[in-house]
Each structure stands twice: as C-alpha cells, then as structure tokens.
Amino acid sequence: MYGFDKPAHERFFQMLGNYLRFDFGKSFFHDEPVIKLILQKLPVSISLGLWTTLLVYCVSVPLGILKAVGNGTKFDVWSSTIVIIGYAIPSFLFAILLLILFGGGSYWSVFPLRGLVSDNWAELSAWHKVTDYFWHMTLPISAMVVSGFAGLTMLTKNSFLDEIGKHYVMTARAKGLTEPQVLLRHVFRNAMLIVIAGFPSALLRILFTSSLLIEVIFSLDGMGLLGFEAAINRDYPVMFATLYIFTLIGLVFNLIGDVAYVLIDPRIDFERRAV
C-alpha cells in the first residue's frame, strides 16, 4: 500500500510520474480518489480567496492613496487607528463575533450559520442562486477582509509618499498639471509596482492560513478544511496532493505578478538589456 516493497529511487520517480498526471492515489480516510476530492473542494477555497483579495485591494489601494495625499491630517490619523485595530483582531475571532451578532447567536439572525449555499440551491433561479451564494459568503469574506487590508493600506501609502517626493513629480506640477493628473499619469504606475508584486503572496497567504479557520468556523468544505482533516487523520496522499496543488497555484500567481510588472512599467524590458 505504501510502496515500501520497492527501492527508494523507483518510488520517487514513480511518484513524479503520477504527480505529473495528477494521479495522487486514493484517500485513506475518504476511500475516494484524491483528485476527485480536490476538484470538489478547490472551487470553495479559490472563490473565498479571490473575493477576499479583490475586496482587500479595492479598499486598501484607494484608502492608501487618500492617506498619502492627506498625510498628517486628521483623516490620516483616524484611518490609521481603525486600520491598526482591524489588523490586531484575528480573523477567526472577528468571525465568531460576526456569527454572534448576525448569525442568529444572541442578536440578529440575518446571515446563515454555515455552508456555501442553501439546501434548495439547485431549485432556485439563476438570479436567486447568485444572491444566495453571496448571502452565505458575506460573513466569511467580511471576517477575512477586516484583518487583511491593514498591511496593504500602509504599503500603498508609503509607496505613494515615496514617489510623490521625487523630482519628476515636482517637474510635472511645475508644468501645470493638476494633482489628479500627476497622481494618475505619473505616480500611480511607479507606486503600484510594489503593490502588484504582493498580489500573489497575498492570495496565497489567504488560501494557506486565513481560510483554514474560517472554513472550519463557517463549515465551508474547502481545501483548507480538507488539508486540516488530512493532517489530523494522517491521510498522506491528501496531504501531499494539497501541498502539490498549492505549490502549482503559487508558481502560476508568481508568474502573473511578473507579467503584470512588465505591463505596468514599460521600463522593465529584458530584451533590450545587455547581457
């Protein structure tokens, strides 16, 4: 069963061949093909991570720009206070708080306690399926967003402050460009490089760490919960397969980040660079 009847080098190359074909064997605990389990759980984790990362960037980037433009103002001070408080609250504690307040705990029963969709989801119309999905995802995504946008907000602010103080910005202002034109035409591209570079790592961090406890608390049957159960039950095929899939996802998103570098900053051109 474990392949220990074969030499180590033979087992290793056999494993490489199986992994290239996405053949991870059968789960010891579920008694099902591992690839089938992963295909069932992966959409849940990816949707949770993508929506969270998208909302984090939609909040953090504009907020960071506003903080850079109004550096030292009351808005900057108060927003920094709120950001630090949000960063200090762990996502799983905030998730429990949301459940108590809005999940029918002790106050308002506004959102469902568990699951990704309702039991009668297949019977709903297309529009009601979409609304039902977002109705279930509101609390999990909110819990992950609140503790996730602090670092990116401060990174965006510091990056814009660094660019605003450079000579080309003063030259653009001296030519008569308005402040929005200076920010959007000149500062934005340069300042956003480091922010875009952090997108793959931000998404992977959410997929690897933040989503695990959130999936457990809200009973979302995703990859984080699958990997956690595999570690507890010593389900080695599932453990290695989840690590392999997450590694592939990490490589793909790192490649996307490098391509985005070139698209945003035309100065990055390796073909013109002398060897």
Side-chain angles (χ1 to χ4, degrees):
M1 181 174 66
Y2 291 99
F4 290 150
D5 56 325
K6 300 176 182 178
H9 68 280
E10 186 176 337
R11 296 201 309 269
F12 178 71
F13 287 109
Q14 182 180 356
M15 181 195 71
L16 290 182
N18 292 336
Y19 276 33
L20 288 175
R21 301 193 307 270
F22 292 94
D23 179 11
F24 306 111
K26 265 193 170 185
S27 167
F28 297 158
F29 183 71
H30 297 276
D31 196 27
E32 291 184 35
V34 176
I35 188 63
K36 179 182 177 181
L37 292 172
I38 290 177
L39 291 177
Q40 291 173 352
K41 317 294 184 184
L42 191 59
V44 177
S45 296
I46 289 181
S47 63
L48 189 63
L50 282 177
W51 284 118
T52 302
T53 307
L54 180 63
L55 287 176
V56 165
Y57 268 75
C58 288
V59 172
S60 300
V61 173
L63 181 59
I65 295 174
L66 291 175
K67 287 174 64 63
V69 173
N71 185 40
T73 62
K74 290 184 178 180
F75 170 77
D76 182 33
V77 174
W78 282 106
S79 59
S80 296
T81 304
I82 296 173
V83 164
I84 293 172
I85 292 174
Y87 182 72
I89 302 175
S91 59
F92 70 92
L93 283 180
F94 192 68
I96 296 172
L97 176 64
L98 290 177
L99 281 178
I100 294 173
L101 291 177
F102 304 107
S106 302
Y107 296 93
W108 303 281
S109 181
V110 180
F111 297 100
L113 283 171
R114 53 178 298 163
L116 189 64
V117 292
S118 300
D119 295 333
N120 63 336
W121 190 78
E123 303 171 2
L124 300 175
S125 63
W127 171 249
H128 285 92
K129 284 182 178 179
V130 173
T131 55
D132 182 77
Y133 167 77
F134 283 108
W135 182 48
H136 282 76
M137 292 290 284
T138 299
L139 293 186
I141 292 177
S142 299
M144 296 174 66
V145 165
V146 168
S147 61
F149 70 88
L152 184 60
T153 300
M154 302 309 295
L155 178 66
T156 304
K157 175 191 173 182
N158 293 332
S159 180
F160 270 80
L161 282 177
D162 183 57
E163 292 295 326
I164 288 174
K166 291 185 177 179
H167 292 295
Y168 74 88
V169 175
M170 290 187 288
T171 304
R173 287 171 177 165
K175 288 182 177 180
L177 294 181
T178 62
E179 197 66 22
Q181 289 176 329
V182 172
L183 289 175
L184 294 177
R185 291 184 185 180
H186 300 279
V187 177
F188 186 79
R189 275 193 170 186
N190 297 327
M192 286 299 291
L193 282 174
I194 190 171
V195 177
I196 290 175
F199 181 85
S201 60
L203 180 57
L204 289 177
R205 184 172 64 252
I206 290 172
L207 288 175
F208 270 117
T209 57
S210 300
S211 64
L212 173 59
L213 291 174
I214 297 299
E215 288 180 10
V216 173
I217 292 171
F218 291 97
S219 298
L220 300 175
D221 200 8
M223 286 282 288
L225 186 59
L226 178 67
F228 176 75
E229 290 178 347
I232 296 297
N233 298 310
R234 297 187 179 183
D235 198 348
Y236 299 116
V238 175
M239 290 174 60
F240 288 127
T242 52
L243 178 62
Y244 180 76
I245 294 297
F246 276 130
T247 304
L248 285 181
I249 293 174
L251 291 174
V252 169
F253 275 97
N254 282 327
L255 179 61
I256 293 174
D258 292 338
V259 172
Y261 259 137
V262 179
L263 293 177
I264 290 180
D265 192 352
R267 296 174 300 178
I268 301 177
D269 190 350
F270 293 103
E271 293 180 357
R272 297 179 182 177
R273 183 172 296 181
V275 179

